[in-house]
Amino acid sequence: MNKVQAVILDWAGTTVDFGSFAPTQIFIEAFHRAFDIDITLAQARIPMGLGKWQHIEALGKLPEINACWQHKFGRSMNSEDIDTIYATFMPLQIAKVVDFSAPIEGVINTVTKLRSQGIKIGSCSGYPRAVMEKLVPAAARLGYIPDYWVASDDIPAGGRPGPWMALQNVIALAIDSVSHCIKVDDAVPGIAEGLNAGMWSVGLALSGNEFGKTWDEYQAMSSEAVAELRQQAADKLFAAGAHYVIDTLADLPQLIDEINRRLANGERP
C-alpha cells in the first residue's frame, strides 16, 4: 500500500474553532487575572501549537512581555510565574473549550470522504488531556469523531515541535510507514511536528491561527483582504517547512491524490 494511510489532524484552527480563538482568548484572560498583565491577541497567537505551559513560557520570553515583567517585578518571568498563569488558565480553558467545539465547515464531509478511501483519522493537540476530555465529546456530539487522539501532556518526552504525539498516532493506528502519513496543522510548531516525524506536513492558511479571523469576520472581508492575509499565513507556514499549504481541511482530499502520485513514484516527504 504505497499510498496515504492516515492523516493526523490538529484540533483548534484545523478541525474545530475557526480562527483558533479558544486558547488565545484564555491566555489573555489568564495573564490579566494572575498578574494584572495585559497581552494582545497578536502576542497570544505567536507560540500557538505548543503545549500550554510551554506556550506561556514562550510568551514570557517575547521582548515586549519580558519588558512588562521587568518593569513590574524587576525580573523576567520564572517557572513559578508560569505555574501560576497555567493554574489560572486551565479552569478557564476547561470551562470555555466546549463553546469552540463546532467542526469547521467541510471537516465532517472531508473525514467521511477520507474514510471511504480507507484512510485513518488521527489527531493531536497542544491542549492538555483535561481540556481534551471536554473538547472531544463536545465535538463528537456535533459530528467530528477521529479514530484516535492524544493530548500534549500524554507523552513524557513532551509535545510540539517534537514528533512524539504524531508518532503515537502511528503506533495506535498501526500505520506501517510514517511516509504514508500526512500531518495537518494551522500553526508553525505543528508543521515542525510533522516534519520531525518524517511525514508530509500540510499547513492551513485560512481556518487557523495564522489567518486569525472568526468565521463571521472572514465572511465579511473583501476578496483582496482575504488574499493578502491568506498569503501572509501561507508564507509563514511554507517558511516553517510545510510541503503544501491549503486553505482549509476541505481541500485535503484533492491534495491526497497528488501525494499518492508522488508516493507511487517512489518519493518520500
Side-chain angles (χ1 to χ4, degrees):
M1 288 180 58
N2 200 17
K3 63 180 184 179
V4 173
Q5 297 177 23
V7 296
I8 299 164
L9 308 175
D10 179 47
W11 282 75
T14 297
T15 54
V16 300
D17 186 10
F18 190 98
S20 193
F21 279 88
T24 48
Q25 295 288 359
I26 301 302
F27 281 122
I28 293 170
E29 189 170 349
F31 268 75
H32 183 78
R33 287 196 184 193
F35 288 106
D36 197 27
I37 295 285
D38 293 322
I39 67 172
T40 68
L41 181 60
Q43 290 168 341
R45 288 191 180 280
I46 291 172
M48 191 57 65
L50 297 175
K52 301 315 174 193
W53 196 96
Q54 292 75 19
H55 188 126
I56 296 165
E57 180 183 39
L59 286 173
K61 293 177 179 179
L62 293 178
E64 55 270 33
I65 295 179
N66 181 58
C68 290
W69 231 264
Q70 293 284 354
H71 177 75
K72 188 162 188 171
F73 303 109
R75 57 172 176 79
S76 296
M77 183 187 290
N78 59 34
S79 60
E80 290 78 14
D81 297 333
I82 300 170
D83 287 341
T84 298
I85 297 169
Y86 186 80
T88 304
F89 170 89
M90 280 295 290
L92 294 170
Q93 187 68 89
I94 290 169
K96 290 295 291 181
V97 73
V98 295
D99 295 338
F100 295 86
S101 60
I104 293 168
E105 184 172 335
V107 166
I108 294 174
N109 287 342
T110 294
V111 167
T112 299
K113 184 177 295 186
L114 298 184
R115 282 188 169 133
S116 73
Q117 299 171 15
I119 295 172
K120 296 179 180 179
I121 311 299
S123 70
C124 56
S125 177
Y127 283 136
R129 174 160 284 269
V131 176
M132 291 298 289
E133 287 176 343
K134 296 292 186 181
L135 176 58
V136 171
R141 288 191 292 271
L142 297 170
Y144 174 58
I145 307 173
D147 298 319
Y148 182 75
W149 63 269
V150 59
S152 61
D153 56 351
D154 285 342
I155 309 296
R160 298 164 181 155
W164 304 289
M165 288 195 295
L167 294 177
Q168 180 60 35
N169 274 269
V170 173
I171 294 168
L173 298 173
I175 306 302
D176 61 19
S177 173
V178 293
S179 66
H180 297 159
C181 298
I182 301 174
K183 173 68 207 305
V184 185
D185 209 292
D186 63 294
V188 166
I191 297 300
E193 175 187 27
L195 296 174
N196 289 333
M199 301 175 179
W200 302 94
S201 201
V202 175
L204 300 181
L206 204 70
S207 64
N209 182 66
E210 301 305 336
F211 195 81
K213 301 294 183 182
T214 67
W215 175 258
D216 289 342
E217 288 172 337
Y218 161 58
Q219 292 293 298
M221 292 171 67
S222 67
S223 57
E224 293 79 10
V226 169
E228 180 179 359
L229 196 52
R230 176 197 282 122
Q231 190 61 54
Q232 291 175 11
D235 288 347
K236 189 168 183 180
L237 294 165
F238 275 127
H243 296 99
Y244 298 95
V245 176
I246 56 180
D247 282 352
T248 72
L249 204 66
D251 302 312
L252 188 61
Q254 184 174 351
L255 177 59
I256 287 177
D257 292 339
E258 178 176 342
I259 292 175
N260 280 337
R261 286 193 292 271
R262 295 182 67 178
L263 287 169
N265 289 332
E267 295 184 57
R268 295 295 180 267

